[in-house]
């Protein structure tokens, strides 16, 4: 892990030789998504339908959060890899993310046994994306080229899933889908829920969809890098968001959107939402502005930028702490007891969620004050 004075990482761009400074709007967007994650994740059971993953097909609000992080990570990679990054640095980042992902699985698993220990996970998804996107940046270095790659990857993935669906009577199901076959063969009992649900949401098939989302983010990052100081810069992002949404809607005619397999239609439509968020952040915090607003917006951005610069810690730290609170301390769990203790005749679930957001927000502000940032 490293602090503020370091160079760019794959999940965000610090100032380095030949690189522009950080994008405030990108950190702002990361911070907003991270706080939404903490707030939604901390709502105790029974959770509203929109705050749980869709059982199979369809999309809920909760399904969007991780893909938004992937989109923003792709945008950060474009800024980080504007100059050539040594292979050893990429290798170190991949190794750190993989090891951190395995440690996260240990922390969030009630009973750890090697026979059923899960080896896939969200941090492992990031690791594979870095491993793929970093070398691709050596040959693909423009927004136009990345846009073409994004759309080709989406179409190719859709064709493959549609062909597989043809083997399943025309519809992908938990009992007949490529993740069940491919991830089951690769990971066996080490996959999500030991394979009992018939898929792995962070397995090889899902990573193919996550690459489409990340590549859309890389395209957005290159657009930002080229036009960040232009008054119409947000419009370029809006145009790319519209292109992603349109392509996603078209591909939905082949394979419907779902987070469980991270289908191409889901990958592109969620990417469009993330690109819109980046466009808003760019317009508010990085575009040309009168002197008075340029001064004011720096201060207004701090609360979310503080979280955004430590989004990796807030995202995965909050999830790990909540998992520990839910499974330890007997019945009711420690999380439920805390919720009851802080409740003031309201809804303990909501009050616990607000307390969680406040605690992680305060931690991020303190770390930002001391310029301490946890990154791969």
């Amino acid at each position: 892990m490293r602090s503020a004075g370091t160079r760019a990482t794959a999940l965000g761009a610090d100032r380095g030789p030949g690189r522009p400074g950080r994008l405030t709007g990108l950190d702002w967007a990361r911070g907003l998504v991270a706080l939404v994650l903490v707030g939604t994740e901390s709502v105790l059971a029974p959770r509203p339908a929109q705050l749980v993953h869709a059982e199979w097909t369809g999309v809920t609000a909760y399904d969007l959060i991780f893909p938004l992080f992937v989109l923003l990570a792709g945008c950060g990679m474009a800024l980080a890899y504007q100059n050539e990054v040594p292979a050893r640095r990429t290798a170190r980042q991949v190794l750190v993310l993989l090891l951190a992902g395995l440690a996260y699985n240990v922390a969030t698993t009630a009973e750890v046994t090697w026979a059923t220990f899960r080896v896939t996970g969200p941090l492992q998804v990031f690791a594979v994306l870095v491993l793929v996107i970093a070398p691709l940046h050596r040959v693909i270095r423009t927004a136009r080229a990345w846009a073409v790659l994004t759309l080709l990857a989406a179409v190719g993935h859709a064709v493959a899933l549609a062909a597989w669906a043809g083997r399943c009577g025309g519809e992908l199901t938990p009992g007949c889908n490529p993740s069940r076959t491919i991830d089951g063969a690769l990971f066996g009992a080490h996959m999500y829920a030991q394979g009992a649900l018939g898929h792995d949401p962070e397995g090889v098939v899902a990573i193919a969809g996550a690459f489409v989302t990340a590549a859309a983010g890389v395209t957005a990052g290159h657009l930002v890098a080229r036009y960040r100081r232009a008054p119409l810069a947000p419009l370029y992002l809006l145009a790319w968001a519209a292109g992603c949404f349109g392509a996603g809607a078209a591909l939905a005619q082949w394979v419907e959107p779902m987070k469980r397999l991270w289908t191409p239609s889901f990958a592109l439509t969620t990417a469009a939402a993330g690109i819109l968020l980046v466009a808003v952040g760019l317009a508010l915090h990085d575009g040309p502005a009168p002197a008075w607003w340029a001064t004011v917006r720096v201060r207004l951005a701090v609360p979310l930028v503080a979280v955004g610069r430590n989004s990796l810690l807030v995202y995965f730290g909050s999830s790990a702490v909540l998992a520990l609170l839910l499974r330890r301390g007997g019945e009711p769990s420690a999380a439920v007891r805390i919720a009851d203790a802080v409740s003031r005749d309201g809804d303990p679930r909501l009050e616990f969620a607000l307390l969680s957001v406040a605690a992680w927000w305060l931690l991020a502000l303190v770390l930002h004050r001391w310029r301490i940032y946890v990154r791969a």
Side-chain angles (χ1 to χ4, degrees):
M1 299 300 180
R2 295 178 288 174
S3 62
T6 57
R7 292 184 179 181
T9 71
L11 300 182
D14 281 315
R15 188 181 300 275
R19 298 183 179 93
R22 293 184 68 91
L23 273 176
T24 301
L26 184 56
D27 285 328
W28 173 87
R30 284 198 190 102
L32 181 60
V33 174
L35 289 180
V36 169
L37 177 278
V38 176
T40 55
E41 186 108 319
S42 301
V43 176
L44 302 178
R47 292 164 63 87
Q50 285 297 314
L51 297 187
V52 295
H53 291 300
E55 288 190 10
W56 185 246
T57 58
V59 179
T60 67
Y62 194 58
D63 288 332
L64 303 178
I65 296 175
F66 183 48
L68 288 177
F69 265 102
V70 170
L71 182 284
L72 296 173
C75 192
M77 289 182 205
L79 299 174
Y81 294 137
Q82 287 182 76
N83 291 351
E84 192 169 299
V85 175
R88 64 179 180 278
R89 187 184 305 169
T90 299
R92 183 184 66 232
Q93 290 166 356
V94 170
L95 181 60
V96 168
L97 286 167
L98 287 174
L99 293 177
L102 294 175
Y104 176 81
N105 286 353
V106 170
T108 56
T109 302
E111 296 182 7
V112 180
T113 61
W114 172 245
T116 58
F117 178 68
R118 185 185 177 195
V119 297
T120 60
L123 280 167
Q124 290 88 319
V125 171
F126 280 127
V128 175
L129 292 176
V130 171
L131 188 62
V132 173
I133 290 175
L136 280 176
H137 253 99
R138 294 178 179 271
V139 292
I140 306 175
R141 306 183 65 87
T142 67
R144 180 179 299 178
W146 273 100
V148 170
L149 177 61
T150 300
L151 297 177
L152 288 177
V155 171
H157 192 202
V159 169
L161 290 178
W164 199 288
R167 300 166 49 183
C168 304
E171 182 181 1
L172 298 172
T173 67
C176 184
N177 67 81
S179 179
R180 181 183 183 91
T181 301
I182 296 171
D183 294 317
L186 288 174
F187 305 117
H190 299 289
M191 64 188 286
Y192 180 66
Q194 289 80 59
L197 300 183
H199 71 287
D200 192 322
E202 283 93 31
V204 173
V205 175
I207 288 175
F211 173 78
V212 173
T213 301
V218 174
T219 305
H222 279 288
L223 288 172
V224 169
R226 182 172 180 180
Y227 300 110
R228 60 186 296 175
R229 301 303 181 194
L232 298 181
L235 295 182
Y236 291 101
L237 290 174
L238 293 178
W240 176 229
C244 287
F245 184 83
L251 292 178
Q253 307 307 308
W254 286 358
V255 183
E256 59 188 311
M258 70 170 83
K259 166 66 173 64
R260 293 295 182 175
L261 296 180
W262 210 313
T263 58
S265 52
F266 174 79
L268 288 173
T269 51
T270 54
I275 295 165
L276 286 175
L277 188 60
V278 174
V280 171
L282 183 67
L284 288 176
H285 300 293
D286 296 288
W292 68 270
W293 173 241
T295 301
V296 170
R297 70 182 182 180
V298 170
R299 296 178 180 178
L300 292 178
V302 168
L304 288 179
V305 167
V307 181
R309 296 200 66 177
N310 259 315
S311 58
L312 199 64
L313 171 66
V314 172
Y315 189 151
F316 294 99
S318 63
S319 297
V321 169
L322 179 63
L324 292 173
L325 291 176
L326 285 173
R327 78 165 189 256
R328 294 187 176 179
E331 286 293 337
S333 67
V336 171
R337 296 202 304 272
I338 293 172
D340 289 338
V342 301
S343 178
R344 294 294 181 267
D345 300 324
D347 185 344
R349 298 177 304 160
L350 176 60
E351 293 173 3
F352 179 79
L354 292 175
L355 176 64
S356 298
V357 170
W360 285 98
W361 203 339
L362 178 61
L363 175 61
L365 287 168
V366 170
L367 293 177
H368 184 63
R369 173 67 179 81
W370 290 97
R371 299 184 63 79
I372 298 172
Y373 307 112
V374 179
R375 306 190 186 97

